[in-house]
Amino acid sequence: MIQLHDLQFEPYLSEKEINEAIDKLAEQLNRDYEGDTPVFLGVLNGAFMFASEIIKRFKGDCEVSFVKLGSYEGTRSTGDVKTLLGLNQSLKGRRVVLIEDIVDTGNTLEEINEILKKEGVADYKVLTLFFKPEAYKKSIKIDYKGMEIPNKFIVGYGLDYDGLGRNLTEVYKRKEQ
């Protein structure tokens, strides 16, 4: 059990389980992008650990960029996605792999979808470590899913609760009261 701010969290996914999911995703990406030079576009802050691991396992040439958006206050999505830090390179005509830590409502994805359309990318695929199918409300295809999980609030492996917990190498879920 761990305490972050005012909430308690209990162990949920081990580092081993997370690494196994990342290995499988990396195998798929290596197959699908063999001979290509994709741009991996990580969504900060949450995806930094996942992005690092995926990129280390990618066997071909690639470029890396990041975008920062936010929609959370505490444990709830505000529903209002704010662009906090934009792209620092042109993606026109490029193949992009969007790296998300978690997809729940899909609001962030919808915002990034608009950004990528304006950029004129050749195509893009969505890669997420965690996917909450019961929370997902959008129609954007999630191409690569590490793990499907219930709609519970989790921290660790890049995910936080009001800034804490990102550095945990395992994932914890909010303890039910």
Side-chain angles (χ1 to χ4, degrees), residues 66 68 73 104 147:
F66 290 92
K68 184 172 181 177
E73 286 178 6
D104 44 32
M147 298 181 199

Side-chain angles (χ1 to χ4, degrees), residues 98-168:
L98 181 68
I99 304 175
E100 272 278 29
D101 53 347
I102 190 166
V103 172
D104 44 32
T105 62
N107 291 336
T108 302
L109 268 189
E110 195 167 65
E111 184 72 19
I112 293 172
N113 183 52
E114 291 306 310
I115 293 167
L116 294 177
K117 276 188 198 171
K118 286 178 193 162
E119 282 287 314
V121 301
D123 70 61
Y124 80 93
K125 303 283 188 195
V126 177
L127 165 70
T128 186
L129 183 54
F130 304 113
F131 178 62
K132 294 180 177 179
E134 63 192 76
Y136 191 60
K137 307 290 183 227
K138 308 297 177 187
S139 59
I140 297 167
K141 183 179 182 208
I142 312 303
D143 303 280
Y144 305 98
K145 301 170 193 163
M147 298 181 199
E148 288 193 5
I149 61 171
N151 193 16
K152 302 283 185 202
F153 187 76
I154 60 173
V155 297
Y157 211 81
L159 295 145
D160 74 309
Y161 169 49
D162 277 348
L164 297 182
R166 289 193 195 279
N167 61 317
L168 300 168

Side-chain angles (χ1 to χ4, degrees), residues 15 23 32 37 46 75 83 86 88 92 95 105 112 155-156 158 169:
E15 188 171 3
D23 286 342
D32 293 353
T37 306
T75 62
T83 303
N88 60 1
K92 186 171 178 61
R95 296 192 71 199
T105 62
I112 293 172
V155 297
T169 59

Side-chain angles (χ1 to χ4, degrees), residues 46-85:
F48 77 98
M49 285 176 90
F50 178 44
S52 170
E53 293 303 319
I54 279 291
I55 293 162
K56 285 191 289 190
R57 288 167 170 83
F58 188 71
K59 292 183 169 82
D61 291 333
C62 66
E63 294 179 31
V64 179
S65 195
F66 290 92
V67 65
K68 184 172 181 177
L69 297 98
S71 66
Y72 268 80
E73 286 178 6
T75 62
R76 298 200 187 287
S77 174
T78 63
D80 179 31
V81 179
K82 301 170 186 71
T83 303
L84 306 173
L85 177 69

